[in-house]
Amino acid sequence: MPKVCVIIPTYNEAGTIGELLDRLESLGLELQVVVVDDGSDDGTIEIVEEASRRYGNIILVERGVKLGLGSALRDGLRKGVELGAELLVTMDADLSHDPLELPKLVDEGTPHRIVLGSRYVEGGCIVGWGLYRRLVSWGANFLARLLTGVPSRDSTTGFRCYGAEVVKAVLPHVRGIGYEFQVEVLSVAQRMGFEIVEVPITFMDRRMGRSKLGFGEMWRFLRILLRIFFESGEMGRALKFIAVGLSGLLVNEAVIWLLTEVAGLYYLISGVISAEVSIVNNFIWNNYWTFSDRGGGGLLARFVRFNLARVFGMALGLLLLKLFTDLLGLHYLVSNVFAILIVFIFNYLLSFFWVWRRPLGDSRGIHIARRG
Ligand code: GDD
Ligand code: MN
């Protein structure tokens, strides 16, 4: 059994922290527990101190003021490594994460791996969240996948098992102090070549106290995602996609001219052929350059999907042109500019999430464990 340290950030969790500590102790595992508190004034501290006296393996780190979830996790992880832990489990204090699922995460843990307790892989679920929280979480994970290139389904989960080597290597490069910390850690870990694995968990909404996730947190989350977009190379990917699109335009023009002027074809026939030639051009460049690190099915399957994506894009473009012009009363040239921009984004999304839907094998150290 590796040395395991459990890190629990708390900010006013008196309603649940005592029960959580009791439940962790009753697992019968040899655990070290570190609670990182940010100046709770509801009795949390007293409850933790009392449990610490009773069990003897609980350390309370008191920071006195609210410095943020990410910052608390960072301090806790550092402390755990200092104490010689090989695996470091983080979990929320509000009983949203079930201690009974801790062994499942620890079982998958290795020094060079992050195990995510995932709500969004097969077997995972959320109990008690309304539509609003589900949408926020879905949006956050969608943007995280698109802008950071981290393929995990649940990049924002707080229930995790970090290998000590990952913590040592990654923490110095992570700046986030709030909820954005969760995604930033994964992005840095992925770039350093560490493995990220997901196991399903059941997330239960808190029944006591209130969530600390406010608009300020969401705004900071978005800002950090954009920074990661620049730093991770995902912006480079988007720029490549634009360059390829422009090359396709040139190819299209050149071929339609050649076929019509030199080969003497009727220009509409030339147009059909040149359109498909430009699709082939774009596919090759995207496959071997823009998305060279991603795949999804065989080459032919990707090519068919890429063609379909183009058809959907054209249909959407025409629909938008009609809507903007007739319903909004815009000049058709103006409508067309908006339609082209939206279709471009649509094409990129389809390429990213559908045509080249996943990273190539385990070559970048990612795999998803599907375990019940
Ligand atoms: N020390 C400290 N300082 N702890 C904090 C702070 C802080 O500034 N902010 C929040 N916490 C603690 C809470 O006391 C709780 O134990 C845990 O962090 C999670 O906070 P919640 O307020 O319960 O967050 P949530 O339930 O809305 O968010 C959950 O889902 C998010 C993704 O959907 C958490 O699991 C997040 O980690 C996760 O990103
Ligand atoms: Mn919570």
Side-chain angles (χ1 to χ4, degrees), residues 162-233:
Y162 291 92
E165 297 309 316
V166 185
V167 172
K168 286 183 211 160
V170 167
L171 269 201
H173 303 279
V174 176
R175 287 177 276 175
I177 54 164
Y179 283 65
E180 72 280 9
F181 175 90
Q182 313 279 29
V183 175
E184 200 185 356
V185 164
L186 295 184
S187 171
V188 176
Q190 172 179 254
R191 270 176 275 157
M192 290 186 154
F194 291 110
E195 223 178 3
I196 303 171
V197 169
E198 293 185 282
V199 297
I201 58 154
T202 296
F203 179 99
M204 305 272 270
D205 191 21
R206 57 163 72 238
R207 266 161 300 164
M208 307 233 207
R210 16 195 308 263
S211 166
K212 282 86 201 172
L213 178 59
F215 286 115
E217 286 289 350
M218 295 185 201
W219 172 236
R220 186 159 56 215
F221 183 86
L222 287 180
R223 271 191 2 234
I224 300 285
L225 277 195
L226 283 182
R227 205 191 71 212
I228 301 175
F229 185 54
F230 287 103
E231 292 175 354
S232 65

Side-chain angles (χ1 to χ4, degrees), residues 9-11 13 36 38 66 68-69 72 92-94 97 119 129 133 137 156 158 179 182 203 206 211-213:
T10 54
Y11 184 66
E13 303 290 3
V36 186
D38 274 8
K66 193 169 184 319
L69 172 60
D92 294 352
D94 57 359
H97 300 141
R119 297 161 288 186
W129 266 7
R133 271 310 299 252
S137 178
T156 59
Y179 283 65
Q182 313 279 29
F203 179 99
R206 57 163 72 238
S211 166
K212 282 86 201 172
L213 178 59

Side-chain angles (χ1 to χ4, degrees), residues 11-32:
Y11 184 66
N12 290 339
E13 303 290 3
T16 49
I17 184 69
E19 185 181 342
L20 174 62
L21 294 174
D22 289 343
R23 285 214 229 159
L24 278 170
E25 298 294 342
S26 67
L27 288 175
L29 304 171
E30 244 181 69
L31 300 174
Q32 171 75 60

Side-chain angles (χ1 to χ4, degrees), residues 345-364:
I345 294 171
F346 175 79
N347 279 339
Y348 188 68
L349 292 178
L350 276 186
S351 293
F352 190 94
F353 286 109
W354 190 48
V355 182
W356 289 275
R357 57 178 79 165
R358 51 175 152 265
L360 282 183
D362 275 359
S363 59
R364 295 183 77 197

